[in-house]
Amino acid sequence: MKLIFTAFCLSLLSSCADYEYTLNDRPILVRKPVSVEVTVIDPNLSLCLTETLKIQNHTNIGDLEVLDCSFAGIKTLDGLEQFQGLMRVKLNGNKLSDIGALLSLGVLSVADLDNNDNIPCEQLATLEGYIGKGLTHSRACRS
């Protein structure tokens, strides 16, 4: 019975995701709806970005600093260059063959690209030149 009551209470609370919670008429949690329009080509990347912005409570794409879209089925990063605040990205286990969008992220310092075996070695070398040991990838490239 307690389990059913707990599930019922959780379902009620989750339906109030964009409301303000107060205690003694003082706000203790204010959840703003994400009003950011994400425009990227890959639908899986778009879904991941939208969910990340919502979970992290960002209303401006420039505020997003950390992105984890591991094993999301992403094929292209086109459009990601508009997220200029990104410092850390985790994109392992996707189907990437071009990381050009990462090369334009000026504050990027960590990129996990493991298990993306179709990324050109030239792009990996260029990105490694920008972020050094912050790059993780599993592709064997020869100099």
Side-chain angles (χ1 to χ4, degrees):
M1 188 67 173
K2 285 184 181 181
L3 182 62
I4 294 172
F5 178 73
T6 303
F8 175 73
C9 289
L10 287 174
S11 68
L12 284 177
L13 286 175
S14 66
S15 66
C16 300
D18 296 330
Y19 290 90
E20 178 179 278
Y21 297 98
T22 61
L23 178 65
N24 294 332
D25 294 326
R26 292 182 185 209
I28 56 172
L29 176 63
V30 179
R31 297 196 57 164
K32 301 173 190 169
V34 175
S35 59
V36 177
E37 181 118 1
V38 175
T39 53
V40 293
I41 293 173
D42 191 288
N44 294 324
L45 179 58
S46 179
L47 178 64
C48 181
L49 285 164
T50 301
E51 288 299 312
T52 301
L53 288 166
K54 185 175 183 180
I55 289 168
Q56 294 183 12
N57 243 355
H58 294 302
T59 56
N60 183 346
I61 61 174
D63 295 338
L64 186 62
E65 296 178 351
V66 178
L67 179 66
D68 184 351
C69 294
S70 300
F71 300 97
I74 298 168
K75 294 179 182 174
T76 179
L77 298 176
D78 290 347
L80 191 65
E81 57 274 359
Q82 63 189 310
F83 291 82
Q84 286 295 310
L86 279 173
M87 296 191 302
R88 301 172 54 112
V89 295
K90 191 168 183 178
L91 296 165
N92 58 312
N94 285 290
K95 301 171 185 173
L96 299 175
S97 59
D98 183 347
I99 57 168
L102 294 180
L103 301 175
S104 67
L105 299 176
V107 296
L108 186 67
S109 60
V110 176
D112 182 353
L113 301 173
D114 272 343
N115 301 312
N116 286 286
D117 297 329
N118 295 321
I119 299 171
C121 290
E122 301 81 33
Q123 287 186 342
L124 288 170
T126 302
L127 186 59
E128 188 170 25
Y130 291 155
I131 65 175
K133 295 186 186 242
L135 175 62
T136 305
H137 66 88
S138 55
R139 175 119 192 239
C141 295
R142 296 182 186 174
S143 300

